[in-house]
Amino acid sequence: MTGKACRAWMLPVAGGGHAAIGEQEMVHIIPEWVRLQSVPHCPGHCHKVFIWQGQLIPVFDLHAYIHPQDSTTADNTPIICIVAYENNNHETGYGGLLLCAIPYRTDVTDDQLCAYPDAGGRWNHISVSCFSDTAGGPTPVLDLPRMFCSAPRE
């Protein structure tokens, strides 16, 4: 590795592959089943919410967003990571990401920059960049404000 390494959380996504967030963006990991409530008239990748510490938390299903034609969903996945981001009012917002396994940390350097994995171009709508990880392959770095504060571009 050359250059200064940054710490990131590797997020296993249902159907294979990973996404990543910065080390400070992870707030909590819920490794057990949580009752998710459906919200009508919402896209399939973000139609669930739950209550966490008195707050309504929207849940983003990465697999459903990246593979909208696939009927496989992470709804039955018992792992949700709660993430923090700065919303449009410059306040801290919280969101949930459905995962298929427990996230883990890794080090990332600029040398690992790579192209997005092939997913019909959808990763670049919710990510700021992508790096190559020896265990996870091409790993998009999620843009949490874009995901939770506005509708991702289609």
Side-chain angles (χ1 to χ4, degrees), residues 47-101:
H47 70 284
K48 302 285 186 173
V49 296
F50 70 101
I51 301 292
W52 177 72
Q53 295 188 354
Q55 293 188 29
L56 189 65
I57 304 294
V59 177
F60 198 104
D61 184 340
L62 289 164
H63 177 76
Y65 178 77
I66 297 301
H67 306 285
Q69 72 288 356
D70 188 349
S71 61
T72 305
T73 164
D75 280 353
N76 297 324
T77 302
I79 300 164
I80 296 176
C81 74
I82 298 176
V83 295
Y85 59 91
E86 185 176 309
N87 66 24
N88 296 332
N89 297 324
H90 305 288
E91 300 168 341
T92 301
Y94 298 97
L97 298 173
L98 286 176
L99 305 178
C100 66

Side-chain angles (χ1 to χ4, degrees), residues 134-149:
T134 54
T139 304
V141 179
L142 299 178
D143 185 344
L144 297 174
R146 187 184 298 172
M147 292 170 64
F148 289 105
C149 293

Side-chain angles (χ1 to χ4, degrees), residues 38-44 46-47:
S38 292
V39 178
H41 308 295
C42 290
C46 61
H47 70 284

Side-chain angles (χ1 to χ4, degrees), residues 6-27:
C6 295
R7 299 286 285 167
W9 282 97
M10 295 289 285
L11 311 173
V13 178
H18 290 77
I21 59 173
E23 184 177 40
Q24 302 301 319
E25 294 175 309
M26 176 74 72
V27 175

